[in-house]
Structures are given as structure tokens and as C-alpha cells.
Amino acid sequence: MSQIASRLACSLLLCLGVAAAGHAQSVGDTAATRFATLDKNSDGVVSEDEYDGSALFRTLDADHNYRVTVEEVQALLGPDRDGQLTAADRIRVADLNGDGELSDEEVRRVAEMRFQSLDTNHDNDLTLAELQVGFWRP
């Protein structure tokens, strides 16, 4: 996968991360909203455990068939927005085996990559400041 494709794949979780926390079914529009949702224990940081790719997968897999489709991502994201990746684009860049759907492993991999990208001081915790810096960055 090229560096650009890897960076785009990493953006999948950022754009869907609020769903992983299980609080809301719509994607938050601000870093602060997403941070508050992801910080499950309200300790002021988001740990790797809280940035949970498996929970995101379970939320995305609406029909519980162990595959995430474009339609399932689209249902969570709502209407396409100018300047943002479409659901089909998000699937395409994260889909390692090219089958047009995402497995739990593929979603977890993207979540891990995104977490590492956002964790600029490499302390295995995300602060609101780190999330804000990387909020719109793929």
C-alpha cells in the first residue's frame, strides 16, 4: 500500500471514531466532541484500549455478518460532504484484500495506524491537543 493510501486508510477511524465509543450513531463534527466520546473513563486522555478498532467494527457491521460494506459505512456517515472521502473511498483505501468490504482485522489495523499517527509524543495516550492537530489530517 502506498504512503498516500496508508494515510487515507488511517483517516477511516478518525471519521468514524465516535461510533466506536457506542455513545452516538452520528459522527461528531469537532475534535472535542469525538474526544469526549472516545474518553470512556473521562480521565482526560484516550488510551489505545479506548480507541478500540473491534468496537468500531461491531458498530459498523450493522447486519452482523462479519463484513463491513459501503452501505453500512454510508449509513453511519450520513450524506457525503464536499471535500471528504466517500464511504466507497474509505472502504477502498482500507481494504487490504480487495474484496470491497472490511473485515474486523482490516478495521483494527486502520484504527491502530490512526492511533499511532495521532499519538505524536508516542506515550500511548491521546490528548485533546493531539486529536485536534490531526483531526482533519488523513
Side-chain angles (χ1 to χ4, degrees), residues 98-109:
D99 67 357
E101 300 175 326
L102 297 181
S103 67
D104 181 44
E105 178 182 340
E106 289 167 327
V107 172
R108 283 185 288 116
R109 180 179 172 275

Side-chain angles (χ1 to χ4, degrees), residues 49-69:
D49 289 339
E50 290 171 313
Y51 207 86
D52 185 358
S54 290
L56 175 60
F57 180 82
R58 287 189 302 274
T59 299
L60 290 170
D61 184 21
D63 63 5
H64 309 291
N65 69 346
Y66 304 103
R67 310 298 301 162
V68 174
T69 64

Side-chain angles (χ1 to χ4, degrees), residues 23-74:
H23 292 261
Q25 291 300 310
S26 63
V27 177
D29 289 333
T30 68
T33 300
R34 291 186 196 174
F35 185 87
T37 303
L38 290 168
D39 184 14
K40 295 173 192 167
N41 63 3
S42 301
D43 67 352
V45 295
V46 174
S47 68
E48 283 188 273
D49 289 339
E50 290 171 313
Y51 207 86
D52 185 358
S54 290
L56 175 60
F57 180 82
R58 287 189 302 274
T59 299
L60 290 170
D61 184 21
D63 63 5
H64 309 291
N65 69 346
Y66 304 103
R67 310 298 301 162
V68 174
T69 64
V70 170
E71 294 77 17
E72 288 170 320
V73 172
Q74 189 69 55

